[in-house]
Amino acid sequence: MFNLTRILAALLVLAALVLGGYAWVLSRKPDPAAQAAATRSAPQPPQHTVVVAARPIAAGQPIQPEDLRTVQLGINPVGAFKDTQGIVGQTPTLPLGVDTPVLAQHLAAGLATLIEPGERALAVKMDEVSSVGNRVRPGDYVDVFFALKRDNGEIDRSQARMLLSRKRVLAYGPGSLDGPAPPNGKAASSAAAAPRTEQARTAVLAIRVEEVNAVLLAEAHGRLSLTLRNPSDAAVPTADLYPSWPTVLQPALARGPKDAAATPVAEPQGADRALGGLAMESLAQGAQALRGAAGARRLPAAPLAHRAGAAAPPPSGPSVEVIRSGQVDTVRLP
């Protein structure tokens, strides 16, 4: 009897230990209902509307509406956009993959975005006299004149002409249409001090690409001057009154059927004319003198290689000597 009692007592102790362990295990498991309530009551991370690329976007191509879509992200990248209105039509400077956030630093900015198709931004040297007493400001419209002067006393062949008409000033000295840039190169704040235009030495003009050669030659061999004009004055010289300057490189001949004579191609324009180049002789004499009264013959502005046994004809006629930095260039005049 005593042994049976001891066995029952041991079994009861063992059962108590098992039940105690089970209770401890149950106490370690979270209550699903309590866990769900805690999840509902916990603050959720904020979601941000961000514009991303809906498909691969190539660099240098304007962004189209179908290239973009908006998503909800838990982060808000610096420079991100909330809607597509401020992005469509802009040009990315690097390729963007699918679902890549489109950021402000990915888009082209600065003066390049203010230049019209077919235009180029070109800086020219200026001083107080040639820039209307430093009264030129970014956004103004100016006419560009140049002068060639004889230095040997024969001033009758000196000349001054309008080179460009109604050209927009993109920047003047430290002032620019896209805002003055601080020395560290970061974007300037709206509270930046006004640029000190009295120290300006350059002006950046927006000009057609075919006009760049003429400006470079005129600046290298003469003197450029800006004349300020009223922005509402839209008058410009008649384009067809004077023939265009002949290019240094002559266009190729368009060949028709085998027995047909070769005919010149159309007059080069835009970038083709810029590639053709301009000789100082053409700039000084003018297209009318080089082409002749009829304007039908194209004279090469640069001498071609002489054929075997042929001697180059000696130059004749009046000329203008352009002296710059100790170098003397002689330009023949009609």
Side-chain angles (χ1 to χ4, degrees):
M1 185 68 180
F2 179 74
N3 292 334
L4 180 61
T5 302
R6 293 179 63 182
I7 293 174
L8 290 176
L11 291 176
L12 291 175
V13 171
L14 181 61
L17 293 175
V18 171
L19 292 176
Y22 181 67
W24 181 82
V25 171
L26 291 179
S27 66
R28 299 289 296 177
K29 291 184 177 180
D31 184 4
Q35 185 178 13
T39 302
R40 289 192 299 268
S41 61
Q44 297 295 325
Q47 297 293 307
H48 303 276
T49 301
V50 178
V51 178
V52 300
R55 59 184 183 180
I57 303 177
Q61 299 295 327
I63 298 177
Q64 305 300 322
E66 56 270 20
D67 295 334
L68 307 171
R69 66 187 182 95
T70 57
V71 297
Q72 297 294 318
L73 297 179
I75 60 173
N76 188 19
V78 177
F81 295 87
K82 295 182 178 180
D83 56 70
T84 62
Q85 294 181 355
I87 309 177
V88 174
Q90 297 200 46
T91 305
T93 57
L94 71 166
L96 302 176
V98 178
D99 292 334
T100 301
V102 182
L103 308 180
Q105 52 266 34
H106 294 161
L107 306 178
L111 285 183
T113 61
L114 304 178
I115 303 173
E116 299 294 335
E119 287 185 342
R120 301 293 186 269
L122 180 66
V124 294
K125 296 179 181 179
M126 289 287 111
D127 56 30
E128 184 176 3
V129 176
S130 60
S131 60
V132 202
N134 280 320
R135 294 300 189 270
V136 177
R137 296 292 184 270
D140 287 341
Y141 285 86
V142 297
D143 291 337
V144 182
F145 286 78
F146 81 104
L148 296 176
K149 182 180 179 181
R150 287 294 299 268
D151 288 339
N152 61 356
E154 298 180 12
I155 63 174
D156 57 322
R157 292 295 180 175
S158 299
Q159 59 174 285
R161 298 205 313 268
M162 176 188 288
L163 188 64
L164 305 174
S165 179
R166 202 175 189 273
K167 296 304 174 182
R168 185 165 49 117
V169 179
L170 300 176
Y172 184 72
S176 176
L177 288 180
D178 63 336
N184 59 9
K186 298 181 180 179
S189 64
S190 58
R196 301 178 59 186
T197 54
E198 67 274 12
Q199 297 181 356
R201 292 295 180 265
T202 59
V204 179
L205 308 178
I207 64 176
R208 305 295 300 178
V209 62
E210 61 267 28
E211 299 168 335
V212 173
N213 293 328
V215 176
L216 295 179
L217 282 177
E219 185 177 37
H221 297 281
R223 178 179 175 82
L224 295 180
S225 293
L226 304 183
T227 59
L228 192 60
R229 58 186 295 160
N230 192 303
S232 62
D233 182 3
V236 294
T238 305
D240 299 332
L241 189 59
Y242 303 100
S244 58
W245 292 308
T247 56
V248 174
L249 302 178
Q250 299 300 299
L253 298 179
R255 299 189 178 277
K258 183 176 181 181
D259 298 334
T263 57
V265 297
E267 185 79 13
Q269 302 294 332
D272 292 332
R273 172 163 288 278
L275 179 63
L278 176 66
M280 185 60 197
E281 181 184 12
S282 301
L283 182 64
Q285 294 186 14
Q288 184 71 37
L290 289 180
R291 292 176 180 271
R297 183 169 61 95
R298 292 180 57 88
L299 295 181
L304 302 177
H306 300 305
R307 299 184 182 275
S316 62
S319 63
V320 169
E321 292 183 357
V322 181
I323 302 177
R324 184 180 180 87
S325 300
Q327 181 180 357
V328 179
D329 296 322
T330 302
V331 177
R332 300 291 169 182
L333 297 177

